[in-house]
Amino acid sequence: MQNIATVIILLAVVTALAEVTDKIRVPYPILLVLAGIGIGLVPGLPVLSLDPDVAFLIFLPPVLFAAAWNTSWPEFKAAKRPITLLAIGCVIFTTCAVAWVAHTFIPGFGWAEGFVLGAIISPPDAVAATAATKGLAIPKRVVTILEGESLVNDATGLIAYRYATVAVATGAFSLWEAGFQFLLVAAGGIGLGLALGWLFKWIHNITPSNPTNDTVLTFLAPFVAYLLAEAVHLSGVLSVVTAGLMLGRSSSEIFSQQTRMQANSSWNTVLFILNGIIFILIGLQLPEIIRSMGDYAFWAWKYAVVISAAVIIGRIIWVYPSTYIPRMLFKKIRAQEEKPDVRLVTVIAWSGMRGVVSLAAALALPLTISNGVAFPHRNLIIFLTFCVIFSTLVLQGLTLRPMIKVFGLKADGKDYEDEQRARLAIAASVIEHIEENYALELSDEVLSQVKSKYEIRIERLRKDEPQRRMSEDQIREFHRIQQELLEKERRDIIRLRRDGKISDEVLRKMEYELDLEETRFILDRDLA
């Protein structure tokens, strides 16, 4: 009962903070981590530990799957070079840089432990990257690069972590063997993800369309992809991401409109809960981590500053050369890609927030190695990991929005322009189809009613054209009246139920129909 009560309290805190963050314009993960620290410092509260197995199994697959599902494959593919350089190159470079700094500046810290620490804190977090860039006025390609990097880099970091941990335990490490295993594990994870993505797509195609069953299958897919890959010692992260990319790209073909609406609503709710609990649990770990340090905590804070600086500066050192040197060396890159804006490169270099994967990996370190010897500097590694997460979230997360404002960056508006052209082309095509196929069958009154929705939509899209037949004020007035009529229908439905003339079931059905209609009108109204 205590655990259930704790979860309910956390959900209440997460929901309350979600309301606050919308008003104060602070990135959601930062506020949750700070709240978790504050709650954890309250005396007398029970210690709430983050089980690494739970973090990897419960939190990681659905969060990665949802991020991959919403990622545009064509845009991901177009940005594959910078994504690969960040997700593999930058992670490996940061791992090596942190290992050198830790070995050099922390007394008694060996190379093997340094590589373990570097592998843990090298990959930026998918949730933090998405939350930090949400609503910011930056071009879509930058968002694609940051989110694409965060989808793939966990695999690089976790594979490096696995071999670094083995090196600490056995004292042996083979670079060639690790490199070969990295390629094998990564390629196998991608292949398995493709196979499972195809399997789930096939299941959706051969089974009757049922919104509830289809939604449940979307929740099963990431866990099946992750567990099966891990069971055969492949990359569970890449398996989940690949399956998510494949199913997300096919969703328009395999799902009905009702399934898409239900699945989107369900996923939004689940992700809100998972993301909120993830970051508040990170904050709750600090008091226990500090207690585990004992008298060593004073010096540990100094080491935390050094390691955090190494992580932040290491990414900056990697990003600028990896952006410009390939352009200098290869003419093909210069011909295919626009010259990078140094302001956008700076935003990418500064967007390296760490999150729950790093903390879970640190907490998953074994207590002992061979012959029962304690894992070297385990508590210090966990403490440094938390400090890196905190410093990157707070320092970089809070300064990212002001940085973009100072740089004067703006969204490129490409999606909006594409959307407007698509809506206009579709509406014109439908009107042409109506006139060709229904003009002789329908009376003028019916034909006019059928065409009116699309004509109004075209008028709205062409509101700036001088030849428009309906003014902006007239269109706005039309939508105002439609909204008032929908509200009148709702009042009448409630009155009929209150008078006992319809049942609750009829009420819910008619309300659902009105909700769908109102959603359509809201979308039409907000086109401009």
Side-chain angles (χ1 to χ4, degrees):
M1 289 297 293
Q2 182 178 352
N3 291 335
I4 295 175
T6 302
V7 171
I8 293 173
I9 293 171
L10 288 181
L11 288 176
V13 172
V14 167
T15 305
L17 290 176
E19 298 293 332
V20 173
T21 191
D22 290 337
K23 299 182 185 300
I24 63 177
R25 297 175 68 84
V26 172
Y28 191 39
I30 298 173
L31 199 61
L32 288 171
V33 170
L34 293 175
I37 293 174
I39 295 172
L41 292 175
V42 176
L45 291 180
V47 176
L48 190 61
S49 300
L50 177 64
D51 188 330
D53 293 332
V54 171
F56 282 129
L57 178 58
I58 303 300
F59 293 113
L60 190 59
V63 169
L64 289 175
F65 186 81
W69 183 289
N70 293 314
T71 298
S72 168
W73 170 246
E75 293 175 355
F76 184 93
K77 185 178 179 181
K80 62 181 180 298
R81 184 182 61 82
I83 288 174
T84 303
L85 286 171
L86 287 170
I88 299 178
C90 189
V91 168
I92 295 174
F93 176 79
T94 304
T95 299
C96 296
V98 169
W100 178 81
V101 171
H103 177 70
T104 303
F105 293 98
I106 301 178
F109 214 87
W111 278 106
E113 303 99 88
F115 278 106
V116 169
L117 175 62
I120 289 172
I121 60 180
S122 57
D125 182 70
V127 179
T130 302
T133 56
K134 184 178 181 180
L136 297 182
I138 51 179
K140 186 65 180 293
R141 178 175 171 84
V142 174
V143 176
T144 300
I145 291 172
L146 292 175
E147 293 184 352
E149 172 203 4
S150 65
L151 289 176
V152 182
N153 62 12
D154 284 337
T156 308
L158 290 175
I159 292 172
Y161 163 81
R162 181 186 303 175
Y163 286 100
T165 305
V166 171
V168 172
T170 63
F173 177 76
S174 171
L175 179 62
W176 296 108
E177 180 181 350
F180 174 76
Q181 288 295 321
F182 173 84
L183 294 176
L184 181 64
V185 168
I190 293 172
L192 182 60
L194 286 172
L196 291 174
W198 180 88
L199 176 62
F200 274 92
K201 181 180 177 180
W202 177 74
I203 292 173
H204 283 296
N205 282 328
I206 66 169
T207 54
S209 179
N210 183 306
T212 301
N213 291 346
D214 289 341
T215 300
V216 171
L217 282 173
T218 64
F219 282 103
L220 287 176
F223 295 104
V224 171
Y226 184 82
L227 289 172
L228 189 56
E230 291 296 317
V232 294
H233 306 293
L234 300 176
S235 172
V237 170
L238 289 179
S239 178
V240 170
V241 169
T242 305
L245 283 169
M246 184 176 180
L247 289 172
R249 185 162 174 77
S250 305
S251 61
S252 299
E253 304 169 10
I254 61 179
F255 293 142
S256 66
Q257 55 84 20
Q258 192 173 358
T259 297
R260 284 193 295 271
M261 292 180 63
Q262 181 167 316
N264 286 337
S265 299
S266 301
W267 271 96
N268 287 339
T269 302
V270 169
L271 288 174
F272 170 79
I273 294 172
L274 290 178
N275 293 341
I277 292 178
I278 282 172
F279 285 100
I280 205 166
L281 282 175
I282 289 175
L284 285 169
Q285 306 309 302
L286 179 61
E288 183 65 19
I289 292 173
I290 292 177
R291 282 191 288 268
S292 69
M293 296 300 298
D295 297 334
Y296 200 39
F298 174 76
W299 290 103
W301 287 110
K302 295 184 178 181
Y303 303 147
V305 173
V306 174
I307 297 298
S308 297
V311 170
I312 294 172
I313 296 173
R315 180 179 176 88
I316 295 172
I317 292 173
W318 174 267
V319 167
Y320 286 100
S322 66
T323 300
Y324 292 103
I325 291 178
R327 288 184 56 85
M328 295 169 56
L329 297 178
F330 300 101
K331 183 178 179 180
K332 184 178 179 181
I333 296 177
R334 295 195 299 272
Q336 292 179 344
E337 300 178 6
E338 296 181 1
K339 183 178 180 180
D341 186 333
V342 67
R343 298 173 301 171
L344 300 179
V345 177
T346 303
V347 169
I348 292 175
W350 194 245
S351 302
M353 287 71 72
R354 272 60 177 177
V356 67
V357 174
S358 294
L359 186 58
L363 293 172
L365 288 172
L367 294 174
T368 60
I369 54 177
S370 57
N371 301 323
V373 178
F375 194 98
H377 303 290
R378 183 179 185 273
N379 289 340
L380 179 58
I381 290 174
I382 296 173
F383 176 78
L384 293 175
T385 300
F386 180 91
C387 291
V388 169
I389 294 171
F390 183 80
S391 61
T392 54
L393 276 176
V394 174
L395 176 61
Q396 295 180 308
L398 287 179
T399 56
L400 194 57
R401 187 180 296 272
M403 175 187 291
I404 291 172
K405 185 176 181 180
V406 170
F407 286 168
L409 295 175
K410 295 181 180 179
D412 47 26
K414 184 179 182 300
D415 283 348
Y416 176 78
E417 294 171 1
D418 291 344
E419 178 185 342
Q420 297 296 89
R421 285 194 295 269
R423 289 182 183 275
L424 185 60
I426 292 171
S429 175
V430 171
I431 289 178
E432 182 180 350
H433 178 80
I434 292 171
E435 292 175 344
E436 290 178 355
N437 294 273
Y438 304 111
L440 298 178
E441 301 177 18
L442 305 176
S443 64
D444 292 342
E445 291 79 6
V446 175
L447 185 65
S448 177
Q449 288 295 322
V450 172
K451 292 167 56 178
S452 63
K453 178 180 71 173
Y454 301 99
E455 290 174 339
I456 291 170
R457 186 174 298 174
I458 290 175
E459 294 291 348
R460 183 76 177 181
L461 292 165
R462 292 176 172 172
K463 64 181 181 298
D464 295 327
E465 296 182 7
Q467 66 268 30
R468 65 190 180 192
R469 292 171 293 171
M470 185 182 290
S471 67
E472 176 70 16
D473 290 338
Q474 290 173 323
I475 296 174
R476 189 181 299 112
E477 184 70 8
F478 170 80
H479 283 292
R480 183 186 65 80
I481 293 173
Q482 290 294 327
Q483 187 71 43
E484 291 178 359
L485 293 176
L486 285 170
E487 293 173 359
K488 173 67 168 60
E489 288 189 65
R490 281 200 174 88
R491 291 195 298 270
D492 288 345
I493 292 172
I494 294 172
R495 177 177 53 80
L496 290 171
R497 195 272 303 269
R498 187 173 56 245
D499 294 342
K501 296 182 178 179
I502 61 173
S503 65
D504 286 350
E505 184 177 352
V506 173
L507 169 73
R508 285 190 289 269
K509 180 179 179 181
M510 297 181 70
E511 275 186 330
Y512 179 70
E513 293 172 355
L514 288 175
D515 290 342
L516 293 177
E517 188 173 355
E518 184 175 9
T519 300
R520 179 177 62 82
F521 275 110
I522 290 173
L523 290 172
D524 284 344
R525 183 194 65 197
D526 295 339
L527 275 178

